[in-house]
Amino acid sequence: MCAALLQPGTSGPWEIATGPDGNLWFTYINITFKRNVIGKITPSGVVTEFFVDIGSDNRPWGITAGSDGNMWFTAPGYVFSDGMIVRISPSGDVTKFTDGITPLSSPQGITAGPDGNIWFAETNGNRIGRITPSGVVTEFSNGISPNSSPTSIVAGSDGNLWFTEIDGNRIGRITPSGDITEFSVGISPGSGPSRIASGPDGNLWFTESKGNRIGRITPSGVITEFAAGITPNSQLAGITTGPDGNVWFSEGVGRIGKITTSGVVTEFSAGISPNSEALGIVTGPDGNIWFTEPIGNRIGRVSEITTGCTAMLDSNFVLHIPILSNSDSAIGTVSLWADFVYKPDSANPTLLPLMLTTYGIINHPSFSCTASSLSGNLSIHIPDVLLSDQMTRMWMDLEYSPHLSISGKNYWYLKNFGLIIK
């Protein structure tokens, strides 16, 4: 674990996101010059600052990459200042948007939506906002309980947006058309759901800043909490899906945590300077975990992440392959992680089709086990699959299906399988 120190006199790197330019972008405040800053850091650690004129009473907060190739960030107002949504180009050109945002609504969390728009949470306004790439804002409040304080928001694998309600102690779901549903059953009282991320298993994962737990909610709204392995009073903050198929989170006391999709937690602190805090967290374009240290005035990186090889098939028939190795004579070996979900085909009822939902490149794989393999004809061999009972293990062969792979969707079907007897 290592960290890049920001310029002397600066303070408060807050949220961080991967940009379309292959760099990491983050929000913070420059105390020396008393100006607001958007920072950019390359995977090699070179930092560039962009001073942004958003008013002395506004502070940059959440940040995300938009579908338009720009970065977008929230700037909640303080005292009597209204908040705004701001767009910054890769070269640092800034455009501010305030029309359509309710005064004093304090927009904080922000994410790119499945509809090509940017969505944000209005913490004081008790609303969810949507802004088009051209700057047209629409707000949604119908369905959000009073005084709930929407805080963080993310796009889910189900095509909807999911958000936390830190004061309402709920998780909310909003469709791209604006229909809102709230979920609270399964969240312990007073837990304070804070940040939320889309997990590698097709579920949503969130931190409970007051409850000191990690929560998981399925697309149908079933919530499970995990507390074992988390040090008491850890001040859980940011959360993201890692390149290894696990969920990673930050702890305000100065640690980084990792939780598997089955709920096993590991905490890390070596390499983080004392009293640094850890807040924003994201998987970078280099396959490492990056995080902000507001008090330590640094950007941190977790590298050499060890990847397990055991694939997992959960009770929702979501298949997660943590490392999928493909050898090509032209480009060498490429390592991927991939998620599939079972999609029955009424025209071929004897097939067991699996649709590819998400995947990513692991740029610095580290593993000492037999990885799943992807051949030249796109067939996949998985040597070890752990089923949802956490006991039964199988091997599987998947065959690519050109017949089913239409409309931009890619399908495989289960060709062969067998039990692993140990």
Side-chain angles (χ1 to χ4, degrees):
M1 198 176 301
C2 60
L5 183 65
L6 304 181
Q7 293 185 14
T10 62
S11 178
W14 203 248
E15 297 290 357
I16 188 167
T18 296
D21 58 349
N23 298 308
L24 287 301
W25 291 71
F26 55 96
T27 56
Y28 75 110
I29 305 164
N30 188 301
I31 298 299
T32 301
F33 298 101
K34 298 180 180 180
R35 297 178 68 180
N36 296 306
V37 177
I38 297 299
K40 177 180 71 175
I41 183 169
T42 67
S44 61
V46 179
V47 175
T48 304
E49 291 181 341
F50 299 96
F51 292 105
V52 290
D53 182 13
I54 56 175
S56 59
D57 289 329
N58 292 80
R59 296 290 182 265
W61 195 279
I63 188 166
T64 191
S67 61
D68 59 349
N70 297 306
M71 301 300 294
W72 292 73
F73 64 94
T74 56
Y78 289 81
V79 191
F80 299 109
S81 177
D82 294 335
M84 63 182 70
I85 304 298
V86 187
R87 182 181 66 208
I88 183 168
S89 71
S91 60
D93 296 325
V94 170
T95 306
K96 298 175 288 188
F97 302 94
T98 57
D99 289 347
I101 302 175
T102 300
L104 305 178
S105 63
S106 188
Q108 293 189 11
I110 190 169
T111 191
D115 55 354
N117 297 312
I118 300 295
W119 291 73
F120 54 95
E122 300 181 14
T123 305
N124 292 347
N126 215 55
R127 299 174 177 84
I128 297 298
R130 180 185 67 201
I131 183 169
T132 68
S134 61
V136 179
V137 172
T138 306
E139 293 179 319
F140 304 91
S141 60
N142 188 28
I144 301 177
S145 299
N147 305 312
S148 290
S149 302
T151 304
S152 173
I153 187 167
V154 73
S157 61
D158 60 346
N160 297 310
L161 288 302
W162 292 75
F163 57 95
T164 56
E165 299 180 6
I166 194 167
D167 290 334
N169 213 54
R170 288 177 289 266
I171 299 298
R173 179 185 68 202
I174 182 169
T175 67
S177 60
D179 296 323
I180 293 173
T181 306
E182 293 177 318
F183 303 91
S184 61
V185 176
I187 301 178
S188 300
S191 291
S194 180
R195 307 306 206 277
I196 190 166
S198 184
D201 55 354
N203 298 312
L204 289 302
W205 291 74
F206 56 95
T207 55
E208 297 181 3
S209 58
K210 301 173 186 176
N212 208 59
R213 289 177 287 265
I214 298 295
R216 179 186 68 202
I217 182 169
T218 68
S220 61
V222 178
I223 293 172
T224 306
E225 294 178 316
F226 302 92
I230 302 174
T231 302
N233 304 311
S234 289
Q235 302 173 26
L236 303 186
I239 191 164
T240 191
T241 290
D244 56 349
N246 296 310
V247 177
W248 290 70
F249 56 95
S250 58
E251 301 181 5
V253 295
R255 282 188 297 266
I256 298 298
K258 176 183 72 174
I259 182 169
T260 68
T261 53
S262 60
V264 179
V265 171
T266 308
E267 295 178 314
F268 307 92
S269 60
I272 300 179
S273 299
N275 304 315
S276 286
E277 193 178 15
L279 185 64
I281 189 168
V282 73
T283 295
D286 57 349
N288 296 314
I289 298 292
W290 292 74
F291 59 96
T292 60
E293 298 180 13
I295 296 177
N297 194 36
R298 296 176 177 87
I299 301 297
R301 181 184 68 203
V302 183
S303 56
E304 299 180 6
I305 298 170
T306 301
T307 302
C309 297
T310 299
M312 291 172 287
L313 182 66
D314 69 14
S315 58
N316 295 315
F317 295 99
V318 173
L319 173 67
H320 171 68
I321 303 178
I323 185 160
L324 183 59
S325 183
N326 173 241
S327 296
D328 187 283
S329 59
I331 61 175
T333 300
V334 177
S335 296
L336 310 165
W337 61 266
D339 290 331
F340 301 80
V341 64
Y342 169 63
K343 292 286 187 180
D345 180 18
S346 58
N348 298 277
T350 59
L351 291 180
L352 294 174
L354 293 162
M355 183 183 75
L356 178 67
T357 55
T358 54
Y359 69 94
I361 296 175
I362 305 174
N363 288 328
H364 302 284
S366 176
F367 59 96
S368 58
C369 45
T370 304
S372 300
S373 58
L374 176 67
S375 68
N377 64 358
L378 300 183
S379 62
I380 295 173
H381 173 68
I382 313 173
D384 187 11
V385 181
L386 179 64
L387 303 190
S388 59
D389 63 3
Q390 299 297 304
M391 294 184 293
T392 307
R393 307 182 95 96
M394 306 180 70
W395 59 267
M396 294 182 180
D397 287 329
L398 307 182
E399 193 79 10
Y400 181 70
S401 174
H403 171 71
L404 297 176
S405 300
I406 57 176
S407 302
K409 304 293 185 181
N410 291 295
Y411 283 83
W412 280 252
Y413 64 90
L414 184 61
K415 184 179 181 181
N416 295 305
F417 66 91
L419 288 174
I420 298 175
I421 307 297
K422 292 186 178 181

